[in-house]
PDB file of all heavy atoms in Angstrom:
ATOM      1  N   ARG A   1       0.852  -1.195  -0.001  1.00 95.00           N
ATOM      2  CA  ARG A   1      -0.001   0.003   0.000  1.00 95.00           C
ATOM      3  C   ARG A   1       0.877   1.235   0.001  1.00 95.00           C
ATOM      4  O   ARG A   1       2.098   1.156   0.193  1.00 95.00           O
ATOM      5  CB  ARG A   1      -0.954   0.021   1.199  1.00 95.00           C
ATOM      6  CG  ARG A   1      -0.263   0.093   2.547  1.00 95.00           C
ATOM      7  CD  ARG A   1      -1.237   0.241   3.697  1.00 95.00           C
ATOM      8  NE  ARG A   1      -1.827   1.566   3.741  1.00 95.00           N
ATOM      9  CZ  ARG A   1      -2.656   1.957   4.708  1.00 95.00           C
ATOM     10  NH1 ARG A   1      -3.005   1.103   5.683  1.00 95.00           N
ATOM     11  NH2 ARG A   1      -3.160   3.162   4.705  1.00 95.00           N
ATOM     12  N   ARG A   2       0.273   2.398  -0.197  1.00 95.00           N
ATOM     13  CA  ARG A   2       0.982   3.673  -0.131  1.00 95.00           C
ATOM     14  C   ARG A   2       0.200   4.649   0.735  1.00 95.00           C
ATOM     15  O   ARG A   2      -1.032   4.602   0.774  1.00 95.00           O
ATOM     16  CB  ARG A   2       1.151   4.282  -1.524  1.00 95.00           C
ATOM     17  CG  ARG A   2       2.195   3.610  -2.391  1.00 95.00           C
ATOM     18  CD  ARG A   2       2.322   4.345  -3.724  1.00 95.00           C
ATOM     19  NE  ARG A   2       3.295   3.691  -4.582  1.00 95.00           N
ATOM     20  CZ  ARG A   2       4.596   3.936  -4.550  1.00 95.00           C
ATOM     21  NH1 ARG A   2       5.061   4.852  -3.694  1.00 95.00           N
ATOM     22  NH2 ARG A   2       5.421   3.315  -5.371  1.00 95.00           N
ATOM     23  N   LEU A   3       0.939   5.548   1.416  1.00 95.00           N
ATOM     24  CA  LEU A   3       0.304   6.623   2.180  1.00 95.00           C
ATOM     25  C   LEU A   3       0.224   7.854   1.312  1.00 95.00           C
ATOM     26  O   LEU A   3       1.152   8.158   0.537  1.00 95.00           O
ATOM     27  CB  LEU A   3       1.105   6.959   3.456  1.00 95.00           C
ATOM     28  CG  LEU A   3       1.314   5.846   4.484  1.00 95.00           C
ATOM     29  CD1 LEU A   3       2.083   6.394   5.683  1.00 95.00           C
ATOM     30  CD2 LEU A   3      -0.017   5.262   4.929  1.00 95.00           C
ATOM     31  N   ASP A   4      -0.880   8.602   1.412  1.00 95.00           N
ATOM     32  CA  ASP A   4      -0.938   9.882   0.704  1.00 95.00           C
ATOM     33  C   ASP A   4      -0.325  10.970   1.589  1.00 95.00           C
ATOM     34  O   ASP A   4       0.075  10.721   2.732  1.00 95.00           O
ATOM     35  CB  ASP A   4      -2.377  10.233   0.301  1.00 95.00           C
ATOM     36  CG  ASP A   4      -3.326  10.306   1.497  1.00 95.00           C
ATOM     37  OD1 ASP A   4      -2.860  10.647   2.617  1.00 95.00           O
ATOM     38  OD2 ASP A   4      -4.536  10.011   1.331  1.00 95.00           O
ATOM     39  N   GLU A   5      -0.261  12.189   1.059  1.00 94.00           N
ATOM     40  CA  GLU A   5       0.426  13.257   1.784  1.00 94.00           C
ATOM     41  C   GLU A   5      -0.272  13.590   3.114  1.00 94.00           C
ATOM     42  O   GLU A   5       0.374  13.897   4.110  1.00 94.00           O
ATOM     43  CB  GLU A   5       0.502  14.515   0.913  1.00 94.00           C
ATOM     44  CG  GLU A   5       1.355  15.635   1.521  1.00 94.00           C
ATOM     45  CD  GLU A   5       2.743  15.161   1.942  1.00 94.00           C
ATOM     46  OE1 GLU A   5       3.373  14.384   1.190  1.00 94.00           O
ATOM     47  OE2 GLU A   5       3.204  15.567   3.034  1.00 94.00           O
ATOM     48  N   ALA A   6      -1.606  13.498   3.109  1.00 95.00           N
ATOM     49  CA  ALA A   6      -2.333  13.762   4.349  1.00 95.00           C
ATOM     50  C   ALA A   6      -1.971  12.722   5.412  1.00 95.00           C
ATOM     51  O   ALA A   6      -1.828  13.052   6.606  1.00 95.00           O
ATOM     52  CB  ALA A   6      -3.840  13.755   4.093  1.00 95.00           C
ATOM     53  N   GLU A   7      -1.805  11.494   4.978  1.00 95.00           N
ATOM     54  CA  GLU A   7      -1.430  10.438   5.931  1.00 95.00           C
ATOM     55  C   GLU A   7       0.018  10.617   6.392  1.00 95.00           C
ATOM     56  O   GLU A   7       0.348  10.320   7.542  1.00 95.00           O
ATOM     57  CB  GLU A   7      -1.635   9.076   5.280  1.00 95.00           C
ATOM     58  CG  GLU A   7      -3.103   8.706   5.117  1.00 95.00           C
ATOM     59  CD  GLU A   7      -3.287   7.422   4.338  1.00 95.00           C
ATOM     60  OE1 GLU A   7      -2.581   7.242   3.309  1.00 95.00           O
ATOM     61  OE2 GLU A   7      -4.139   6.598   4.754  1.00 95.00           O
ATOM     62  N   HIS A   8       0.895  11.093   5.486  1.00 96.00           N
ATOM     63  CA  HIS A   8       2.265  11.410   5.904  1.00 96.00           C
ATOM     64  C   HIS A   8       2.252  12.457   7.026  1.00 96.00           C
ATOM     65  O   HIS A   8       2.965  12.331   8.026  1.00 96.00           O
ATOM     66  CB  HIS A   8       3.066  11.950   4.716  1.00 96.00           C
ATOM     67  CG  HIS A   8       3.561  10.878   3.800  1.00 96.00           C
ATOM     68  ND1 HIS A   8       4.358  11.137   2.706  1.00 96.00           N
ATOM     69  CD2 HIS A   8       3.396   9.527   3.814  1.00 96.00           C
ATOM     70  CE1 HIS A   8       4.652  10.008   2.090  1.00 96.00           C
ATOM     71  NE2 HIS A   8       4.080   9.019   2.741  1.00 96.00           N
ATOM     72  N   GLU A   9       1.441  13.493   6.841  1.00 95.00           N
ATOM     73  CA  GLU A   9       1.374  14.550   7.854  1.00 95.00           C
ATOM     74  C   GLU A   9       0.806  14.002   9.160  1.00 95.00           C
ATOM     75  O   GLU A   9       1.240  14.368  10.263  1.00 95.00           O
ATOM     76  CB  GLU A   9       0.503  15.704   7.331  1.00 95.00           C
ATOM     77  CG  GLU A   9       0.506  16.932   8.234  1.00 95.00           C
ATOM     78  CD  GLU A   9       1.890  17.504   8.432  1.00 95.00           C
ATOM     79  OE1 GLU A   9       2.692  17.467   7.477  1.00 95.00           O
ATOM     80  OE2 GLU A   9       2.186  17.967   9.557  1.00 95.00           O
ATOM     81  N   GLN A  10      -0.159  13.108   9.014  1.00 96.00           N
ATOM     82  CA  GLN A  10      -0.753  12.493  10.206  1.00 96.00           C
ATOM     83  C   GLN A  10       0.276  11.638  10.951  1.00 96.00           C
ATOM     84  O   GLN A  10       0.333  11.651  12.185  1.00 96.00           O
ATOM     85  CB  GLN A  10      -1.950  11.649   9.789  1.00 96.00           C
ATOM     86  CG  GLN A  10      -2.839  11.222  10.946  1.00 96.00           C
ATOM     87  CD  GLN A  10      -4.094  10.520  10.471  1.00 96.00           C
ATOM     88  OE1 GLN A  10      -4.151   9.991   9.358  1.00 96.00           O
ATOM     89  NE2 GLN A  10      -5.131  10.516  11.293  1.00 96.00           N
ATOM     90  N   LEU A  11       1.129  10.908  10.209  1.00 96.00           N
ATOM     91  CA  LEU A  11       2.164  10.087  10.845  1.00 96.00           C
ATOM     92  C   LEU A  11       3.188  10.967  11.553  1.00 96.00           C
ATOM     93  O   LEU A  11       3.658  10.629  12.638  1.00 96.00           O
ATOM     94  CB  LEU A  11       2.833   9.198   9.797  1.00 96.00           C
ATOM     95  CG  LEU A  11       3.888   8.218  10.331  1.00 96.00           C
ATOM     96  CD1 LEU A  11       3.319   7.331  11.440  1.00 96.00           C
ATOM     97  CD2 LEU A  11       4.440   7.363   9.178  1.00 96.00           C
ATOM     98  N   ARG A  12       3.509  12.113  10.936  1.00 95.00           N
ATOM     99  CA  ARG A  12       4.414  13.053  11.616  1.00 95.00           C
ATOM    100  C   ARG A  12       3.796  13.536  12.940  1.00 95.00           C
ATOM    101  O   ARG A  12       4.499  13.698  13.953  1.00 95.00           O
ATOM    102  CB  ARG A  12       4.702  14.252  10.714  1.00 95.00           C
ATOM    103  CG  ARG A  12       5.477  13.924   9.457  1.00 95.00           C
ATOM    104  CD  ARG A  12       5.844  15.198   8.694  1.00 95.00           C
ATOM    105  NE  ARG A  12       6.335  14.857   7.366  1.00 95.00           N
ATOM    106  CZ  ARG A  12       5.613  14.953   6.241  1.00 95.00           C
ATOM    107  NH1 ARG A  12       4.346  15.401   6.295  1.00 95.00           N
ATOM    108  NH2 ARG A  12       6.141  14.619   5.069  1.00 95.00           N
ATOM    109  N   SER A  13       2.503  13.779  12.911  1.00 95.00           N
ATOM    110  CA  SER A  13       1.819  14.217  14.134  1.00 95.00           C
ATOM    111  C   SER A  13       1.877  13.147  15.219  1.00 95.00           C
ATOM    112  O   SER A  13       2.080  13.443  16.406  1.00 95.00           O
ATOM    113  CB  SER A  13       0.357  14.575  13.830  1.00 95.00           C
ATOM    114  OG  SER A  13       0.281  15.649  12.918  1.00 95.00           O
ATOM    115  N   PHE A  14       1.724  11.887  14.801  1.00 96.00           N
ATOM    116  CA  PHE A  14       1.840  10.811  15.782  1.00 96.00           C
ATOM    117  C   PHE A  14       3.264  10.737  16.348  1.00 96.00           C
ATOM    118  O   PHE A  14       3.453  10.483  17.545  1.00 96.00           O
ATOM    119  CB  PHE A  14       1.439   9.475  15.150  1.00 96.00           C
ATOM    120  CG  PHE A  14      -0.021   9.160  15.274  1.00 96.00           C
ATOM    121  CD1 PHE A  14      -0.901   9.404  14.219  1.00 96.00           C
ATOM    122  CD2 PHE A  14      -0.536   8.632  16.457  1.00 96.00           C
ATOM    123  CE1 PHE A  14      -2.261   9.128  14.333  1.00 96.00           C
ATOM    124  CE2 PHE A  14      -1.888   8.350  16.577  1.00 96.00           C
ATOM    125  CZ  PHE A  14      -2.762   8.605  15.511  1.00 96.00           C
ATOM    126  N   ALA A  15       4.261  10.960  15.489  1.00 95.00           N
ATOM    127  CA  ALA A  15       5.651  10.949  15.972  1.00 95.00           C
ATOM    128  C   ALA A  15       5.852  12.058  16.996  1.00 95.00           C
ATOM    129  O   ALA A  15       6.490  11.849  18.056  1.00 95.00           O
ATOM    130  CB  ALA A  15       6.620  11.113  14.804  1.00 95.00           C
ATOM    131  N   ASN A  16       5.306  13.250  16.703  1.00 93.00           N
ATOM    132  CA  ASN A  16       5.419  14.356  17.666  1.00 93.00           C
ATOM    133  C   ASN A  16       4.690  14.036  18.963  1.00 93.00           C
ATOM    134  O   ASN A  16       5.128  14.408  20.059  1.00 93.00           O
ATOM    135  CB  ASN A  16       4.846  15.640  17.059  1.00 93.00           C
ATOM    136  CG  ASN A  16       5.692  16.159  15.919  1.00 93.00           C
ATOM    137  OD1 ASN A  16       6.904  15.898  15.870  1.00 93.00           O
ATOM    138  ND2 ASN A  16       5.088  16.894  14.990  1.00 93.00           N
ATOM    139  N   LEU A  17       3.558  13.334  18.826  1.00 93.00           N
ATOM    140  CA  LEU A  17       2.797  12.952  20.012  1.00 93.00           C
ATOM    141  C   LEU A  17       3.598  11.984  20.884  1.00 93.00           C
ATOM    142  O   LEU A  17       3.623  12.121  22.118  1.00 93.00           O
ATOM    143  CB  LEU A  17       1.476  12.305  19.582  1.00 93.00           C
ATOM    144  CG  LEU A  17       0.482  11.937  20.694  1.00 93.00           C
ATOM    145  CD1 LEU A  17       0.051  13.183  21.465  1.00 93.00           C
ATOM    146  CD2 LEU A  17      -0.738  11.237  20.096  1.00 93.00           C
ATOM    147  N   VAL A  18       4.286  11.035  20.254  1.00 92.00           N
ATOM    148  CA  VAL A  18       5.114  10.088  21.013  1.00 92.00           C
ATOM    149  C   VAL A  18       6.257  10.826  21.707  1.00 92.00           C
ATOM    150  O   VAL A  18       6.530  10.604  22.892  1.00 92.00           O
ATOM    151  CB  VAL A  18       5.673   8.991  20.079  1.00 92.00           C
ATOM    152  CG1 VAL A  18       6.698   8.129  20.830  1.00 92.00           C
ATOM    153  CG2 VAL A  18       4.542   8.126  19.540  1.00 92.00           C
ATOM    154  N   VAL A  19       6.941  11.715  20.978  1.00 89.00           N
ATOM    155  CA  VAL A  19       8.052  12.465  21.567  1.00 89.00           C
ATOM    156  C   VAL A  19       7.552  13.310  22.732  1.00 89.00           C
ATOM    157  O   VAL A  19       8.191  13.389  23.798  1.00 89.00           O
ATOM    158  CB  VAL A  19       8.727  13.355  20.497  1.00 89.00           C
ATOM    159  CG1 VAL A  19       9.703  14.325  21.168  1.00 89.00           C
ATOM    160  CG2 VAL A  19       9.454  12.498  19.477  1.00 89.00           C
ATOM    161  N   GLY A  20       6.400  13.937  22.553  1.00 88.00           N
ATOM    162  CA  GLY A  20       5.843  14.736  23.651  1.00 88.00           C
ATOM    163  C   GLY A  20       5.539  13.891  24.867  1.00 88.00           C
ATOM    164  O   GLY A  20       5.775  14.318  26.013  1.00 88.00           O
ATOM    165  N   GLN A  21       5.002  12.701  24.626  1.00 85.00           N
ATOM    166  CA  GLN A  21       4.678  11.825  25.746  1.00 85.00           C
ATOM    167  C   GLN A  21       5.945  11.344  26.449  1.00 85.00           C
ATOM    168  O   GLN A  21       5.997  11.282  27.679  1.00 85.00           O
ATOM    169  CB  GLN A  21       3.859  10.626  25.267  1.00 85.00           C
ATOM    170  CG  GLN A  21       3.303   9.781  26.395  1.00 85.00           C
ATOM    171  CD  GLN A  21       2.373  10.569  27.295  1.00 85.00           C
ATOM    172  OE1 GLN A  21       1.566  11.371  26.836  1.00 85.00           O
ATOM    173  NE2 GLN A  21       2.503  10.377  28.597  1.00 85.00           N
ATOM    174  N   ILE A  22       6.980  11.009  25.670  1.00 79.00           N
ATOM    175  CA  ILE A  22       8.262  10.596  26.273  1.00 79.00           C
ATOM    176  C   ILE A  22       8.824  11.737  27.120  1.00 79.00           C
ATOM    177  O   ILE A  22       9.271  11.533  28.253  1.00 79.00           O
ATOM    178  CB  ILE A  22       9.258  10.181  25.183  1.00 79.00           C
ATOM    179  CG1 ILE A  22       8.834   8.843  24.555  1.00 79.00           C
ATOM    180  CG2 ILE A  22      10.671  10.062  25.750  1.00 79.00           C
ATOM    181  CD1 ILE A  22       9.689   8.409  23.383  1.00 79.00           C
ATOM    182  N   SER A  23       8.802  12.942  26.579  1.00 76.00           N
ATOM    183  CA  SER A  23       9.309  14.103  27.319  1.00 76.00           C
ATOM    184  C   SER A  23       8.495  14.338  28.589  1.00 76.00           C
ATOM    185  O   SER A  23       9.048  14.663  29.649  1.00 76.00           O
ATOM    186  CB  SER A  23       9.279  15.354  26.435  1.00 76.00           C
ATOM    187  OG  SER A  23      10.079  15.176  25.292  1.00 76.00           O
ATOM    188  N   LEU A  24       7.176  14.166  28.473  1.00 75.00           N
ATOM    189  CA  LEU A  24       6.317  14.349  29.643  1.00 75.00           C
ATOM    190  C   LEU A  24       6.627  13.320  30.714  1.00 75.00           C
ATOM    191  O   LEU A  24       6.752  13.649  31.900  1.00 75.00           O
ATOM    192  CB  LEU A  24       4.852  14.246  29.223  1.00 75.00           C
ATOM    193  CG  LEU A  24       3.813  14.381  30.354  1.00 75.00           C
ATOM    194  CD1 LEU A  24       3.920  15.756  31.005  1.00 75.00           C
ATOM    195  CD2 LEU A  24       2.409  14.135  29.834  1.00 75.00           C
ATOM    196  N   LEU A  25       6.781  12.060  30.293  1.00 66.00           N
ATOM    197  CA  LEU A  25       7.073  11.015  31.265  1.00 66.00           C
ATOM    198  C   LEU A  25       8.410  11.262  31.961  1.00 66.00           C
ATOM    199  O   LEU A  25       8.568  10.989  33.147  1.00 66.00           O
ATOM    200  CB  LEU A  25       7.090   9.643  30.571  1.00 66.00           C
ATOM    201  CG  LEU A  25       5.735   9.138  30.067  1.00 66.00           C
ATOM    202  CD1 LEU A  25       5.920   7.892  29.212  1.00 66.00           C
ATOM    203  CD2 LEU A  25       4.808   8.842  31.240  1.00 66.00           C
ATOM    204  N   ARG A  26       9.354  11.794  31.183  1.00 62.00           N
ATOM    205  CA  ARG A  26      10.677  12.056  31.767  1.00 62.00           C
ATOM    206  C   ARG A  26      10.665  13.300  32.651  1.00 62.00           C
ATOM    207  O   ARG A  26      11.558  13.459  33.479  1.00 62.00           O
ATOM    208  CB  ARG A  26      11.723  12.216  30.677  1.00 62.00           C
ATOM    209  CG  ARG A  26      12.011  10.947  29.905  1.00 62.00           C
ATOM    210  CD  ARG A  26      13.146  11.139  28.914  1.00 62.00           C
ATOM    211  NE  ARG A  26      14.346  11.549  29.602  1.00 62.00           N
ATOM    212  CZ  ARG A  26      14.956  12.718  29.387  1.00 62.00           C
ATOM    213  NH1 ARG A  26      14.469  13.588  28.523  1.00 62.00           N
ATOM    214  NH2 ARG A  26      16.055  13.022  30.051  1.00 62.00           N
ATOM    215  N   SER A  27       9.703  14.173  32.483  1.00 60.00           N
ATOM    216  CA  SER A  27       9.684  15.422  33.257  1.00 60.00           C
ATOM    217  C   SER A  27       8.678  15.383  34.395  1.00 60.00           C
ATOM    218  O   SER A  27       8.435  16.393  35.047  1.00 60.00           O
ATOM    219  CB  SER A  27       9.354  16.595  32.329  1.00 60.00           C
ATOM    220  OG  SER A  27       8.051  16.457  31.797  1.00 60.00           O
ATOM    221  N   MET A  28       8.098  14.241  34.641  1.00 58.00           N
ATOM    222  CA  MET A  28       7.077  14.148  35.688  1.00 58.00           C
ATOM    223  C   MET A  28       7.673  13.898  37.072  1.00 58.00           C
ATOM    224  O   MET A  28       7.022  13.448  37.980  1.00 58.00           O
ATOM    225  CB  MET A  28       6.097  13.021  35.360  1.00 58.00           C
ATOM    226  CG  MET A  28       5.111  13.362  34.268  1.00 58.00           C
ATOM    227  SD  MET A  28       4.061  11.966  33.849  1.00 58.00           S
ATOM    228  CE  MET A  28       3.224  11.679  35.403  1.00 58.00           C
ATOM    229  N   GLY A  29       8.958  14.181  37.239  1.00 58.00           N
ATOM    230  CA  GLY A  29       9.591  13.965  38.531  1.00 58.00           C
ATOM    231  C   GLY A  29       9.954  12.517  38.778  1.00 58.00           C
ATOM    232  O   GLY A  29      10.246  12.136  39.897  1.00 58.00           O
ATOM    233  N   ARG A  30       9.950  11.687  37.721  1.00 74.00           N
ATOM    234  CA  ARG A  30      10.275  10.276  37.892  1.00 74.00           C
ATOM    235  C   ARG A  30      11.621   9.921  37.268  1.00 74.00           C
ATOM    236  O   ARG A  30      11.990   8.760  37.208  1.00 74.00           O
ATOM    237  CB  ARG A  30       9.186   9.410  37.237  1.00 74.00           C
ATOM    238  CG  ARG A  30       7.779   9.700  37.726  1.00 74.00           C
ATOM    239  CD  ARG A  30       7.473   8.954  39.016  1.00 74.00           C
ATOM    240  NE  ARG A  30       6.083   9.184  39.410  1.00 74.00           N
ATOM    241  CZ  ARG A  30       5.059   8.481  38.936  1.00 74.00           C
ATOM    242  NH1 ARG A  30       5.270   7.522  38.055  1.00 74.00           N
ATOM    243  NH2 ARG A  30       3.835   8.734  39.343  1.00 74.00           N
TER     244      ARG A  30
END
C-alpha cells in the first residue's frame, strides 16, 4: 500500500505525540 500526503502529515503528528509523551514522562519527577 501507499500513504498519501495527508497520511504522511498524520504520521508526523503521531511521531510528535510520542516524543511529547516521552518528554512528559521524563519530566514528571520520575
Side-chain angles (χ1 to χ4, degrees):
R1 63 175 288 184
R2 286 183 182 274
L3 300 182
D4 58 30
E5 187 52 42
E7 288 174 317
H8 281 183
E9 187 59 36
Q10 193 174 22
L11 183 55
R12 294 186 192 102
S13 297
F14 270 98
N16 292 334
L17 185 61
V18 172
V19 169
Q21 189 61 41
I22 289 175
S23 300
L24 178 62
L25 291 171
R26 292 185 59 242
S27 64
M28 285 176 62
R30 305 276 184 85

